[in-house]
């Protein structure tokens, strides 16, 4: 059995390690968890004893197969709860992260299985992040930043790289959400901004900061 804090560490290591591909330094993990390197070292030792992480001095820490499995289960629960909160309880997409952070630690596998069924087996959360299935597998979609999309292309918004409340509120303000269809009218050489037209023929200009954090699939 893993505690709330241990699960959060495993999730953080999984994300920082690029899904288990590279090792993570204790300093980087301390910064992510907003704690001290000494506290991180203590936790890494605990997780290592439980065979949830692989740690080598001076080389960093990474999730083991067992740790990766636990991290993916937590991520799956988090993203399913976000879908539930937005689709069924009508929360806004900038309001759900902290609530899902608490709900993701519920231990009942049957509850999560029923939740997945109730929601119709969603593949992505409200921010466009893929939801792993019961076996930890993701559905793959070829997405790219809006910034890298050519003039004249038509695209559909599928996710965001920045899920901060400020950015999500900005997208609500300009009328962009997951599933929004748009076309690229022009890229402005002066400041890198982009002129786009949304599906309801609404023309807007997107800043470079917004364009790089808005993920789309080309139609």
């Amino acid at each position: 059995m893993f505690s709330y804090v241990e699960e959060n560490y495993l999730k953080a290591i999984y994300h920082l390690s690029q899904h288990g591909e590279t090792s993570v330094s204790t300093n980087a993990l301390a910064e992510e968890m907003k704690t001290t390197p000494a506290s991180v070292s203590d936790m890494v030792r605990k997780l290592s004893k439980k065979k949830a992480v692989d740690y080598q001095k001076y080389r960093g820490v990474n999730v083991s197969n067992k740790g990766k499995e636990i991290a993916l289960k937590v991520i799956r629960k988090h993203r399913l709860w976000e879908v539930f909160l937005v689709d069924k309880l009508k929360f806004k997409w900038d309001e759900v992260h902290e609530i899902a952070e608490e709900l993701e630690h519920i231990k009942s596998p049957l509850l999560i299985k029923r939740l997945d069924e109730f929601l119709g087996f969603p593949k992505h959360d409200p921010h466009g992040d893929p939801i792993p299935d019961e076996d930890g597998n993701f559905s793959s979609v070829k997405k790219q930043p809006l910034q890298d999309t050519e003039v004249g292309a038509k695209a559909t918004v599928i996710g965001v790289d920045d899920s901060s409340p400020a950015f999500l509120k900005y997208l609500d303000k300009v009328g962009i959400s997951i599933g929004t269809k748009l076309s690229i009218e022009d890229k402005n050489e002066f400041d890198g901004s982009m002129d786009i037209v949304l599906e309801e023929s609404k023309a807007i200009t997107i800043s470079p900061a917004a364009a790089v954090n808005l993920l789309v699939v080309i139609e």
Side-chain angles (χ1 to χ4, degrees):
M1 186 68 70
F2 288 80
S3 70
Y4 180 111
V5 176
E6 289 171 334
E7 288 184 341
N8 281 339
Y9 265 88
L10 291 173
K11 185 174 66 168
I13 296 167
Y14 174 79
H15 284 309
L16 291 172
S17 66
Q18 299 178 12
H19 305 169
E21 296 298 320
T22 61
S23 294
V24 179
S25 72
T26 52
N27 286 336
L29 189 53
E31 184 177 348
E32 176 70 15
M33 300 303 294
K34 296 179 174 58
T35 188
T36 64
S39 295
V40 167
S41 295
D42 288 341
M43 178 57 70
V44 166
R45 280 193 288 271
K46 290 179 183 178
L47 292 172
S48 184
K49 286 181 181 178
K50 291 187 174 185
K51 302 188 184 304
V53 299
D54 298 318
Y55 175 71
Q56 293 183 355
K57 196 172 183 180
Y58 306 120
R59 296 188 65 181
V61 61
N62 204 344
V63 285
S64 65
N65 288 336
K66 180 179 181 180
K68 184 176 181 179
E69 180 181 344
I70 293 165
L72 285 170
K73 285 181 179 178
V74 175
I75 291 167
R76 169 175 164 79
K77 288 185 284 185
H78 182 106
R79 294 177 180 174
L80 283 171
W81 282 120
E82 286 195 336
V83 175
F84 175 76
L85 290 166
V86 170
D87 288 1
K88 304 302 180 182
L89 298 188
K90 306 308 177 185
F91 280 83
K92 294 181 180 179
W93 63 344
D94 61 287
E95 298 175 328
V96 296
H97 179 74
E98 290 186 0
I99 303 172
E101 284 279 297
E102 299 179 26
L103 293 170
E104 70 185 20
H105 299 288
I106 293 173
K107 302 297 183 184
S108 171
L110 179 58
L111 173 61
I112 302 307
K113 184 180 180 68
R114 295 280 174 84
L115 177 64
D116 194 18
E117 292 173 356
F118 176 67
L119 295 172
F121 306 102
K123 301 298 182 186
H124 297 86
D125 73 8
H127 309 109
D129 292 319
I131 299 173
D133 63 18
E134 287 183 294
D135 299 319
N137 299 314
F138 294 92
S139 58
S140 60
V141 177
K142 189 176 181 180
K143 56 188 176 182
Q144 65 185 51
L146 179 64
Q147 187 182 56
D148 296 342
T149 308
E150 297 296 325
V151 172
K154 296 184 183 299
T156 301
V157 177
I158 194 173
V160 291
D161 247 357
D162 178 358
S163 57
S164 66
F167 184 52
L168 298 180
K169 286 176 182 176
Y170 164 77
L171 294 179
D172 282 339
K173 183 178 179 180
V174 298
I176 294 176
S177 60
I178 302 302
T180 295
K181 296 183 182 298
L182 53 85
S183 58
I184 316 301
E185 297 299 302
D186 197 11
K187 291 185 177 182
N188 301 301
E189 185 177 350
F190 172 67
D191 62 356
S193 62
M194 300 178 71
D195 298 329
I196 66 174
V197 175
L198 306 184
E199 53 194 330
E200 65 274 20
S201 300
K202 177 183 177 183
I204 62 173
T205 298
I206 293 289
S207 70
V212 76
N213 282 298
L214 201 57
L215 302 177
V216 299
V217 290
I218 306 303
E219 294 182 359

